[in-house]
Amino acid sequence: MYLVLLATIISFVIMLIIGPYFIPFLKKLKFGQTIREEGPQSHMVKSGTPTMGGLMIILSITATCLLFLANRWEVTVALLGTLAFGFIGFIDDFIKIILKRNLGLKAYQKVVLQVTFAMILAVYAAYHPNIGTHMAVPFIDSLLDFKWLYIPFTVIFIVGFVNAVNLTDGLDGLASGASMFAAVFFVLSCLYNGYYQLALFAGSVVGACLGFLKFNIYPARVFMGDTGSMALGGALVSLAVLTRMELYFFVVGGLFLIEAISVIIQVFYFKMTGGKRFFRMAPIHHHFELKGWHEKKVVIVFWFVSVCLAVLGYAGLIINI
């Protein structure tokens, strides 16, 4: 347990050390965020705020892993999952910010890359003797064998939740805070189930998110960009797959799920009604902003929901019906 705490602290300290140097560096390179005109007008003041701060998150997690977690297959796989999806986000940010193409990667390009990395992780897990095609079921002390459905289900799970975390990154501190609470769940669940090395990895994610919040809380001095949101999504889904906790993550990551579903509902309703909107704006955090909630209030309420879902998920682990 103390090693997990130490890994968390070191990741946190690394972030605090590199932040004051990295943020001015991003400003110097003019890696500024472009704010969409159709977004909430209150966000226009954020235009030019440095983005791609997710590189700091990746560096903090990677450095901590190299210090503590070398030569462990499960940690190596989790870190590679983080780096792989972070790489997709980096390319997307690079195209938008450096090449000045606002839409970044084309949708099909992003999906192809995400499905490819998801397939690699799913196949690896399915044929690994310590993982296999079984998943733990919340509130039931048993494993459910998905058999031939495991790989397609896991690919959809990975791609879906990585994009859901990405959609959640729309307010200062929202995605980093929600990801941190989900990572805390994985620290506790890994310790409970005996995945001690992955508990250290999850601790490094907690520390990186907590340290990043110092610079990302309202008013944000830096944004994580797709680089950070996809890297965090990759870290969380990798933890879920490697610990066979995919079904638990539908509870623990429920906030991300709600954000993604709100976008699906908005798009479907818009097309079915010829241009009407179900929400004032999607993802749903913008809906509450446009209803008059201050950004800080939205973030605090959504954090509270995220904490409650993490607690509910842990209850599903230790309480069996």
Side-chain angles (χ1 to χ4, degrees), residues 166-180:
N166 181 237
L167 289 170
T168 305
D169 182 34
L171 301 179
D172 296 358
L174 178 55
S176 45
S179 297
M180 179 181 69

Side-chain angles (χ1 to χ4, degrees), residues 119 122 135 146-158:
M119 182 69 74
M135 297 182 193
F146 275 63
K147 298 182 180 180
W148 64 270
L149 285 173
Y150 177 85
I151 290 177
F153 177 87
T154 301
V155 169
I156 294 171
F157 167 83
I158 292 170

Side-chain angles (χ1 to χ4, degrees), residues 12 19 47 57 78 88 119 159 180 220 224 235 248 252 270:
F12 172 71
S47 183
I57 296 174
I88 298 174
M119 182 69 74
V159 173
M180 179 181 69
M224 65 173 68
Y248 276 82
V252 176
F270 187 85

